[in-house]
Amino acid sequence: MSGDEIAGVNAALFQMAAKIGGLESTVSTLLQTWQQMEAKASDGRKDLHQKVDALRAQMSTMDAQLATATKDIADMKPTVQAVQKVRIQADGVRNVSRWIYLPVSAATPSGS
């Protein structure tokens, strides 16, 4: 091989080495980007799981509170019904008293 041929081969090898180095750099950058994205995705999944766990805990608390409130309401229902019954009876007694009082007061002279 002549000197020109060797120089041409060396130039071609140098270009190939430069292109391989560029590919290596690109692959390295892509790998780093992928690793960063994977780390962020992992953090996102972790945050999501924590939020779901917190929501689950809140739901359990609300479930217990709802059960307690339902029981309390069920316990109060007979009392409320009794109070309503007494109120209706009191309204009835008041109305009857008016009917009885009005004729008596109308029959009594006002000057006495």
Side-chain angles (χ1 to χ4, degrees):
M1 271 199 193
S2 70
D4 287 340
E5 290 176 335
I6 293 175
V9 169
N10 282 339
L13 288 174
F14 182 74
Q15 285 179 344
M16 283 178 48
K19 287 185 181 186
I20 290 173
L23 285 173
E24 230 177 17
S25 175
T26 301
V27 168
S28 177
T29 301
L30 288 172
L31 181 61
Q32 287 175 354
T33 302
W34 175 77
Q35 287 172 339
Q36 289 171 352
M37 288 172 51
E38 183 62 28
K40 286 181 183 178
S42 181
D43 289 343
R45 286 188 296 272
K46 178 181 165 188
D47 289 344
L48 180 62
H49 282 289
Q50 288 174 345
K51 288 177 183 178
V52 167
D53 289 343
L55 183 61
R56 214 177 263 150
Q58 279 183 325
M59 291 297 287
S60 293
T61 301
M62 288 176 61
D63 186 41
Q65 290 172 342
L66 180 61
T68 301
T70 302
K71 183 186 176 303
D72 289 347
I73 290 169
D75 291 346
M76 289 187 298
K77 189 174 182 179
T79 304
V80 170
Q81 288 174 337
V83 168
Q84 287 174 336
K85 192 176 196 181
V86 168
R87 184 178 293 151
I88 290 170
Q89 289 173 349
D91 287 343
V93 168
R94 186 177 31 220
N95 289 338
V96 168
S97 297
R98 284 185 191 154
W99 284 101
I100 292 172
Y101 178 73
L102 284 177
V104 171
S105 65
T108 320
S110 2
S112 316

